[in-house]
Amino acid sequence: MNHVKYRVGKWLPSDRSFLNNWIEKKVHQVKQTRLPLSPAVNALREAIYNDPTLYMSFTSMYDEIPQGYNEPVKNFETMLLIINQVLNEAPCYSTIEDSIGLVGFPINAILDWAMGTQAGYLTFLHPVVNEKLSVILAEWKTFLESPASQYVLVNGPVTQPQPDYTNPIGWFSQPALEAIAAMDPLRGKGNNPQDALQNFIYNYQCQPDQPHFGYKSWDDFFTRQFNPGVREVSPEDQDPSVIVNACESAPYNVVTNAKMKDKFWMKGQPYSLIDIMNNHELAQQFGDNSTVYQAFLCAKTYHRWNSPVDGKIVAIQNVPGTYYAEAPVEGYDPSGPNDSQGYITELAARALIFIQSDNEKIGLMCFVAVGMAEVSSCEIMVTEGQQVKKGDPIGTFHFGGSTHCLIFRPDVNIDFDFHGQTPCLNTYNIPLKARIGVVS
């Protein structure tokens, strides 16, 4: 039996042959459909041709891909055509022989090897490039929020507009529901059903007797909420010293020696707090030897954020940033930019929520939602001055969830609970609102 490997969060299959096949079919599709370029994609194209530095960068990053990598995208013109095609499609699930695949980051897949070149590092840090990519991703977000994206929310095959995709199926097909249920850390426990369909109905707000389970769009499905009572703070975790999980997420890293300013692009990807917090005035209340807890979200689970502590929202900020930058030290990273999760906390589009905890031992902390690749929309749902209880909703990712951080000041001593795991790239989800640490 062949096992398909996945990247962290399972946003993309790590099987290069499958991804290359998918991209090759995309190249064939765009040549057949010949869609006119959307205004957003055309704006990026014009920016490339009007700036000799960008033209050199976009040309060089494809020239620099070493022979033997068999990259189906040979130049930036083809790249633009495939991105243009993707803007009219919603992510679907797929059966590939006896395995399951999800190209949840199609643009990331298109840029995969180009991102890892020397020219690619510089290109995807360029402010003009990220400004144009932001408009492109906003256009796709508009499509994913429209009823036109409902076609993937079915039980059965998806016939259009993705004839190129290998055996596409809807999200309410048995294999897709099984993949969603497999990410539920509480599946089969208590009243939580083992059966995939019943597991979904038990966990998520939906209308299974209605078309598309009552979801108005792909985004409506993606940002779905848990049913009341499914994820609640336990009575013992109401204790003010307990910190709960802010997202349904898997622990990636914890450090207790984060510096205010560091070389975050180096091996090990150190955290640079002043950069993560975008030089926010409140960052000065932190300092060297702060604690950072980082965890990543899976493509198929809950994507909303909830407060890890009781307290007051003292500041919020959406930070525009990069979308396809990855750490130079990772080289030709077949998991890019997933292995760059520490690096992108300083650079990627993100949201900052500063919370003054009611517990003086915690004091001021910062929740950071980090968008990655297509996951660019961070919606903050709280306002400055608002009181929040542990577990209250504070925001959501749209189309995705990438990774998030909890940042604590140097004098905050936390005994973390990783639920029997060691933080790394191969951990499993800790339930939302479950205990992840106790302050002493």
Side-chain angles (χ1 to χ4, degrees):
M1 178 179 178
N2 293 324
H3 294 281
V4 176
K5 296 184 295 182
Y6 295 96
R7 308 182 191 212
V8 59
K10 301 189 178 181
W11 293 98
L12 287 172
S14 294
D15 187 323
R16 283 304 310 174
S17 62
F18 167 70
L19 269 184
N20 281 356
N21 181 258
W22 179 85
I23 295 171
E24 286 168 359
K25 289 176 182 290
K26 277 290 175 201
V27 172
H28 177 73
Q29 182 186 14
V30 298
K31 290 179 179 178
Q32 296 295 114
T33 57
R34 295 185 175 276
L35 291 177
L37 290 184
S38 78
V41 176
N42 192 56
L44 174 58
R45 183 177 185 273
E46 289 183 351
I48 294 170
Y49 276 104
N50 291 336
D51 185 326
T53 302
L54 290 184
Y55 181 78
M56 179 174 63
S57 298
F58 274 91
T59 301
S60 297
M61 67 184 180
Y62 285 101
D63 291 345
E64 288 177 11
I65 297 173
Q67 291 185 355
Y69 280 93
N70 191 29
E71 170 57 67
V73 181
K74 305 298 184 186
N75 52 63
F76 72 82
E77 286 283 13
T78 304
M79 173 201 82
L80 293 172
L81 289 174
I82 304 176
I83 291 175
N84 189 65
Q85 179 69 40
V86 166
L87 298 186
N88 298 292
E89 299 175 355
C92 62
Y93 224 69
S94 179
T95 53
I96 304 97
E97 297 175 351
D98 296 326
S99 302
I100 302 296
L102 166 67
V103 181
F105 277 176
I107 298 175
N108 191 116
I110 296 162
L111 303 174
D112 220 9
W113 290 119
M115 285 160 38
T117 64
Q118 199 65 41
Y121 299 140
L122 300 176
T123 300
F124 293 111
L125 290 173
H126 197 291
V128 171
V129 173
N130 284 293
E131 176 190 331
K132 301 302 182 186
L133 285 171
S134 176
V135 178
I136 290 171
L137 295 174
E139 183 175 309
W140 195 26
K141 179 175 179 284
T142 298
F143 171 79
L144 295 175
E145 290 175 336
S146 74
S149 64
Q150 287 177 310
Y151 71 95
V152 296
L153 305 178
V154 295
N155 177 7
V158 173
T159 56
Q160 61 82 35
Q162 296 167 299
D164 64 298
Y165 201 89
T166 308
N167 301 324
I169 58 174
W171 284 96
F172 300 121
S173 300
Q174 178 61 29
L177 287 171
E178 177 60 37
I180 293 172
M183 304 311 298
D184 176 10
L186 300 179
R187 183 184 187 185
K189 299 177 181 178
N191 295 323
N192 194 331
Q194 182 74 24
D195 176 79
L197 173 60
Q198 295 306 314
N199 178 275
F200 188 93
I201 294 170
Y202 172 85
N203 277 294
Y204 299 109
Q205 295 181 24
C206 63
Q207 298 171 279
D209 58 336
Q210 297 296 313
H212 315 296
F213 273 41
Y215 295 113
K216 299 179 179 66
S217 65
W218 158 263
D219 182 77
D220 192 29
F221 162 72
F222 198 80
T223 60
R224 61 191 180 273
Q225 299 187 57
F226 281 120
N227 281 314
V230 168
R231 297 285 192 276
E232 299 293 348
V233 179
S234 67
E236 57 270 27
D237 288 344
Q238 297 288 355
D239 184 321
S241 65
V242 173
I243 299 164
V244 300
N245 204 15
C247 300
E248 186 99 346
S249 54
Y252 167 71
N253 193 22
V254 171
V255 301
T256 57
N257 60 347
K259 295 181 180 179
M260 286 297 285
K261 189 72 175 179
D262 211 337
K263 298 178 180 179
F264 58 86
W265 57 91
M266 303 302 287
K267 189 171 180 63
Q269 300 172 33
Y271 296 106
S272 182
L273 299 182
I274 198 74
D275 294 304
I276 294 174
M277 298 182 193
N278 197 41
N279 291 283
H280 195 283
E281 60 182 6
L282 288 177
Q284 299 304 324
Q285 296 192 32
F286 294 77
D288 288 348
N289 297 315
S290 287
T291 294
V292 179
Y293 170 91
Q294 185 172 1
F296 58 88
L297 285 76
C298 168
K300 296 176 287 294
T301 49
Y302 177 88
H303 289 90
R304 293 173 179 261
W305 329 322
N306 295 70
S307 181
V309 297
D310 298 327
K312 180 181 179 180
I313 307 297
V314 293
I316 58 175
Q317 184 182 12
N318 268 109
V319 182
T322 63
Y323 301 99
Y324 298 98
E326 66 179 26
V329 293
E330 295 299 335
Y332 285 95
D333 167 21
S335 296
N338 295 287
D339 282 353
S340 301
Q341 285 194 72
Y343 172 77
I344 63 172
T345 58
E346 288 87 353
L347 295 173
R350 58 200 182 277
L352 309 176
I353 302 178
F354 291 89
I355 306 172
Q356 183 70 38
S357 171
D358 291 346
N359 185 340
E360 293 181 357
K361 291 183 178 179
I362 298 174
L364 182 68
M365 63 155 296
C366 186
F367 169 87
V368 186
V370 185
M372 181 172 68
E374 280 85 324
V375 186
S376 57
S377 298
C378 300
E379 181 185 358
I380 299 172
M381 295 178 170
V382 287
T383 57
E384 293 179 4
Q386 181 178 336
Q387 286 290 141
V388 290
K389 299 295 290 182
K390 196 182 304 181
D392 282 354
I394 57 174
T396 188
F397 290 112
H398 287 276
F399 185 33
S402 158
T403 186
H404 75 283
C405 296
L406 305 180
I407 305 176
F408 302 91
R409 294 173 302 110
D411 55 347
V412 180
N413 298 310
I414 304 170
D415 180 15
F416 282 101
D417 182 352
F418 305 120
H419 294 235
Q421 308 173 88
T422 299
C424 66
L425 288 170
N426 298 310
T427 50
Y428 55 81
N429 281 344
I430 295 173
L432 178 75
K433 304 181 191 178
R435 176 184 302 209
I436 59 166
V438 179
V439 179
S440 59

